[in-house]
Amino acid sequence: MLDIKQIREDPDAIRAGIAARAEDNSVVDRLLELDASRRAMLTNVEELKSKRNKASKEIGALKKQGKDTTDTQASVRDLGNQIDKIDGEIKQVDQDLRELLIRIPNLPHSSTPRGADESGNVPVCEHGEKKTFDFKPRTHIEIGEHLCLFDFQRATRMAGSGFPLLTGLGARLQRALVQFMLDLHREEHGYTEISTPILCGSKAMTGTGQLPKLDDDMYKLPGDDLYLIPTGEVPLVNIFREEIIDRPMPLYLMAHTQCFRREAGAAGKTTRGMLRLHQFEKVELVKIVHPDSSYDELESLLKNALTVVERLELNYRVLELCTGDMSFAAAKCYDVELWSPGQNDWLEVSSCSNCEAFQARRAGIRYRREDKKVDFVHTLNGSGVALPRLIVAILENGQQADGTVKLPAVLVPYMNGIEKLELPSA
RNA sequence: GGAGGGGUGGCUGAGUGGACGAAAGCACCGGUCUUGAAAACCGGCGUGCCGCAAGGUACCGGGGGUUCGAAUCCCUCCCCCUCCGCCA
């Protein structure tokens, strides 16, 4: 959520920021109008309330003296009616303001490249070489079916398309990766491991910015005001909703969760196999930091995610997302992508974003400054990293001519000494 | 799910219609004292909104109501605790 005061003071900057995200910025005029009338009504009604408070006290005093107050009471009752009327109007304006504010995306940081869509994203770096094979590389689906690592057909039978069913070594590989990532981030990067709810209420979803915009992209349980989380970012950031944080920052939090996405409107895209699922696992990293340090923290968050794929000996590249391709809450965002020989394309496995105070303002997450004033924290999030496409990359990059898959050395201890994936009977 | 008891500031906890944004204690911050510290004493110490400011206004789990006036009374929802039931 943007700061209404900032909109009041510098509407042009806000208009420019919204336009950079290819969104309609005429909302700013409407906001200014509502804000002005709200303040006028507030001044008015607070004056009336002040009068009423004074008069009520006088009535109390008079009654103690045993005097008759019938007339005064009648006039104060009239005051009260006026107040109720204006209060009702203010409430409506507040609602209208909030409805508008809550739908405006975050303003892009000045360093975020301008652009309308993904073609405007800027490559930052590429690490490693695209693997070449002296045989025709198979896709992860072919490899997985051959080695019995997963079974999408049977998954479809129980839940419809887009749900994972990992079997045998496939399931073990995923668990090993989770364990590896959590250990790495805890031991070397200082994150605290959290186990969270995977259903959250609408207030939490609004706090991190999934609602109202992504309502159709989430699975919900309307009878209970609960949504299945689309990312671990939701519960992690919402831990401190409506709080003034009284512990030393920065806070580094991580959670391994299931994530659920309806992917409405994604039909027809690259949805085969593990590339795009309604349910997937992810290790999520969240930082809650002092505003002065959030851009340094974004760089180190990105490094934390990159360390995962480097240790796994994978070929990756980093993109700086442009204004038109960034998610709703982000002011600046890096994507990490892995090379997929089977797709002959890059696969996104992590987005590392600095949301600045956007989520903090929505969710009421504050800290106390040196001068004792209360201010909003900055929040950052990034995948560290998402599992399905990571598995795709490991399978497709590690595949051998004989149909087996060589595992990265760092995973071997997590697989109880297994160095390559092969058929159990082989 | 049933019965009962509760939700008040960072924490503990008083407050049952007016002088209560709210006692007291703890914690915290500043000061006095001290070589320093502790103790003692003095002072400060919630958040939002409106306002250049003075100040005003709102908030005692959420929402609604009664009243000139609500932390206090009524309705409703949520949450917590105890007991019973059920259950992984």
Side-chain angles (χ1 to χ4, degrees), chain A residues 218-229:
Chain A
M218 293 192 288
Y219 291 98
K220 50 197 142 181
L221 290 74
D224 294 293
D225 182 41
L226 286 170
Y227 294 76
L228 278 76
I229 57 169

Side-chain angles (χ1 to χ4, degrees), chain A residues 48-73:
Chain A
L48 293 177
K49 283 180 179 174
S50 180
K51 275 188 196 163
R52 178 174 68 179
N53 287 343
K54 282 204 188 84
S56 292
K57 280 187 179 166
E58 278 165 27
I59 290 169
L62 289 171
K63 282 204 163 176
K64 279 223 166 96
Q65 295 167 29
K67 292 185 179 159
D68 177 65
T69 56
T70 317
D71 292 348
T72 327
Q73 283 187 31

Side-chain angles (χ1 to χ4, degrees), chain A residues 303-346:
Chain A
K303 283 208 181 78
N304 296 157
L306 294 181
T307 302
V308 170
V309 291
E310 277 169 18
R311 296 278 170 91
L312 292 170
E313 304 163 47
L314 294 167
N315 168 214
Y316 67 81
R317 70 171 184 177
V318 177
L319 298 178
E320 201 174 352
L321 294 195
C322 74
T323 49
D325 198 32
M326 245 181 354
S327 66
F328 186 72
K332 186 179 180 71
C333 179
Y334 294 109
D335 269 11
V336 180
E337 298 185 332
L338 300 178
W339 179 251
S340 157
Q343 290 294 120
N344 198 37
D345 201 358
W346 295 97

Side-chain angles (χ1 to χ4, degrees), chain A residues 214-270:
Chain A
L214 300 180
D215 187 59
D216 288 341
D217 292 318
M218 293 192 288
Y219 291 98
K220 50 197 142 181
L221 290 74
D224 294 293
D225 182 41
L226 286 170
Y227 294 76
L228 278 76
I229 57 169
T231 159
E233 165 198 349
V234 173
L236 286 177
V237 171
N238 274 289
I239 289 173
F240 297 102
R241 189 162 64 89
E242 303 300 336
E243 282 192 38
I244 298 172
I245 292 175
D246 63 350
R247 57 186 91 179
M249 296 197 293
L251 300 174
Y252 292 179
L253 310 171
M254 65 172 169
H256 162 229
T257 71
Q258 299 282 351
C259 301
F260 301 89
R261 300 184 182 181
R262 293 184 63 226
E263 301 292 354
K269 291 196 181 175
T270 47

Side-chain angles (χ1 to χ4, degrees), chain A residues 266-286:
Chain A
K269 291 196 181 175
T270 47
T271 55
R272 286 265 293 151
M274 307 240 273
L275 295 177
R276 184 182 293 271
L277 294 165
H278 290 309
Q279 175 186 333
F280 63 96
E281 297 193 20
K282 185 151 68 81
V283 169
E284 181 75 358
L285 306 175
V286 160

